[in-house]
Amino acid sequence: MDNFWEHLQNLTDAQSILSKGGFYLLLVVIFAETGLFFGFFLPGDYLLFMAGLLCSQGMIDVSIFTLIISVIVAGVLGNYAGYWFGYRTGPVLFSRDDSLFFKKRYIVLAEEFYAKHGGMALVLGRFFPIIRTFAPIFAGVVKVNFKKFTLYNLAGCITWVCTFVLGGYFLGRRYPQIKDYLEYVVFGLIIITTIPLVIAFFKKKTVKTEI
């Protein structure tokens, strides 16, 4: 148990994650998770919330305005990269062999999510791990109208970034002492961001059982 909490404390170390150049690492992570197929495992939600929280404590050397605008730009560009990748590779992705960083089922998952929600999948998908990585790629595969894609891309990224960054920022401003309990915050975030995946997993299992 002590090792577990030590690991969480390392995750919340502002010096190693988001300070001393870590701000730029944050932008790289957000770009990768929102458009590069090997970035699906990156903790985007967690980092956005923690960035806002640490910014409120003065532990990141940028203003909240700069933080939000920079992350939005990184997220929007990430989705464009994903769209371009899907547009260029197309059906080849469905015949690609599984590897450590690519699973065909992730594309199928994005396809099902897109079929259910239409263009709004690009907005709602921002809040679901894996979906936010592969939804723009699938949009490129099916060649979604670029203007519509841009609209959903902007709307989704702005909503996602503001929800998590401002959520962390205002929580930190309201409860300054929260910096002494970051490991518990991280633990809570891990649970919250995992719930959608668990629900999707069991729904899929239920459907297969019924069939």
Side-chain angles (χ1 to χ4, degrees):
M1 189 67 179
D2 291 338
N3 290 335
F4 174 74
W5 287 117
E6 183 179 352
H7 178 62
L8 287 181
Q9 288 172 342
N10 290 334
L11 285 175
T12 60
D13 185 355
Q15 298 299 315
S16 62
I17 298 177
L18 296 171
S19 64
K20 292 187 177 179
F23 167 69
Y24 300 101
L25 176 61
L26 169 66
L27 301 184
V28 172
V29 168
I30 296 304
F31 175 84
E33 196 199 12
T34 55
L36 304 182
F37 69 84
F38 55 79
F40 67 90
F41 64 91
L42 296 170
D45 294 337
Y46 154 71
L47 284 181
L48 289 181
F49 188 88
M50 291 300 298
L53 182 59
L54 296 177
C55 183
S56 72
Q57 304 294 310
M59 300 171 75
I60 300 179
D61 193 24
V62 295
S63 68
I64 186 63
F65 178 78
T66 299
L67 177 63
I68 289 176
I69 295 300
S70 299
V71 174
I72 287 176
V73 171
V76 168
L77 293 179
N79 261 202
Y80 278 138
Y83 179 89
W84 176 85
F85 179 75
Y87 191 94
R88 298 287 295 182
T89 57
V92 174
L93 280 176
F94 290 93
S95 59
R96 181 189 177 98
D97 293 333
D98 284 353
S99 65
L100 178 63
F101 294 108
F102 178 82
K103 307 291 182 184
K104 282 184 286 189
R105 66 176 180 272
Y106 296 155
I107 288 291
V108 174
L109 184 65
E111 179 182 15
E112 293 173 349
F113 195 81
Y114 196 88
K116 181 177 180 180
H117 298 287
M120 282 300 292
L122 295 168
V123 178
L124 300 175
R126 290 277 186 173
F127 294 86
F128 293 86
I130 297 179
I131 293 293
R132 67 170 155 263
T133 300
F134 287 92
I137 294 175
F138 179 76
V141 171
V142 299
K143 295 178 171 54
V144 172
N145 178 274
F146 189 73
K147 289 183 178 180
K148 288 184 178 180
F149 176 81
T150 296
L151 176 62
Y152 289 124
N153 184 11
L154 289 170
C157 192
I158 291 171
T159 303
W160 179 54
V161 170
C162 288
T163 297
F164 282 96
V165 174
L166 290 180
Y169 181 79
F170 287 118
L171 181 66
R173 292 294 295 271
R174 180 68 178 81
Y175 303 102
Q177 68 276 16
I178 200 171
K179 67 178 182 294
D180 299 323
Y181 304 95
L182 290 183
E183 61 268 26
Y184 298 100
V185 175
V186 172
F187 186 62
L189 284 172
I190 291 173
I191 294 176
I192 292 172
T193 55
T194 302
I195 288 175
L197 289 179
V198 173
I199 293 175
F201 174 78
F202 280 106
K203 277 187 176 180
K204 204 170 186 65
K205 284 289 186 182
T206 301
V207 171
K208 287 183 177 180
T209 302
E210 291 176 351
I211 295 175

